[in-house]
Amino acid sequence: MSLSHFDKDGQAHMVDVSDKDVTDRIAVAEGRVVMLPETLDYVLKGTAKKGDVLGIARIAGIMAAKKTSDLIPLCHPLPITKVTLDLEPDEALPGVRIRATVKTSGQTGVEMEALTAVSAAALTVYDMLKAVEKSMQIEGIRVVLKDGGKSGKYEAEGSAT
């Protein structure tokens, strides 16, 4: 197997998808922000100094998915048809679990858009809460589902998709 973003001479290039069929595609990514229980209380009670942590992080993730090709050099700009961000406070973690679902009908997948959405949402959670805890950790960002296109379906082991 070869890396698709390099030509025969090893030079980086944008993959030519012009011969690929347009198909419905979906990608789901997940991640989490781990924090102290006291920090999570700010989220649960809605008392964070900067406002609604989860609502703002959700919007940040949606915006990031739409801008992925501006951030990741060799990504194609895609006509995204749906982006959802689920941010769930989890007292057992403690922290916030983040899940992004991105859909399109196109010639290439939306895995990078889903990963970018989760990343931006996690960074926004950190930004919103850093005044009370700088030791938060962003963890486990990964693709848990990808479907559509020639390569078919991928589902990560242990994912709850």
Side-chain angles (χ1 to χ4, degrees):
M1 183 172 274
S2 63
L3 298 174
S4 59
H5 286 91
F6 294 96
D7 65 17
K8 63 180 176 42
D9 299 320
Q11 299 297 310
H13 69 100
M14 187 179 233
V15 175
D16 182 358
V17 297
S18 60
D19 290 336
K20 287 184 165 186
D21 292 332
V22 172
T23 61
D24 291 337
R25 296 164 186 267
I26 185 171
V28 179
E30 68 180 16
R32 60 191 173 272
V33 182
V34 180
M35 59 192 67
L36 295 171
E38 301 82 41
T39 306
L40 183 57
D41 282 343
Y42 283 92
V43 175
L44 295 172
K45 294 176 182 172
T47 57
K49 194 173 193 178
K50 292 186 177 182
D52 176 10
V53 173
L54 302 183
I56 293 169
R58 181 175 299 106
I59 295 300
I62 292 168
M63 291 174 64
K66 297 180 344 180
K67 292 292 189 179
T68 299
S69 66
D70 292 338
L71 300 169
I72 310 299
L74 301 178
C75 280
H76 294 84
L78 298 176
I80 294 173
T81 58
K82 182 176 184 174
V83 180
T84 59
L85 262 289
D86 297 310
L87 290 94
E88 181 180 326
D90 183 343
E91 293 183 65
L93 198 54
V96 177
R97 295 187 182 277
I98 304 167
R99 188 175 193 86
T101 302
V102 181
K103 293 182 178 183
T104 191
S105 291
Q107 294 169 294
T108 189
V110 285
E111 300 93 70
M112 294 307 300
E113 287 73 10
L115 289 165
T116 301
V118 169
S119 299
L123 289 168
T124 301
V125 168
Y126 185 96
D127 180 53
M128 300 281 292
L129 298 169
K130 69 184 180 212
V132 293
E133 183 187 348
K134 292 178 181 29
S135 63
M136 289 176 283
Q137 296 180 44
I138 296 171
E139 300 178 346
I141 297 175
R142 66 183 185 144
V143 172
V144 294
L145 175 71
K146 171 251 176 264
D147 200 7
K150 186 173 69 173
S151 62
K153 187 173 186 175
Y154 162 79
E155 194 164 1
E157 285 188 39
S159 67
T161 54

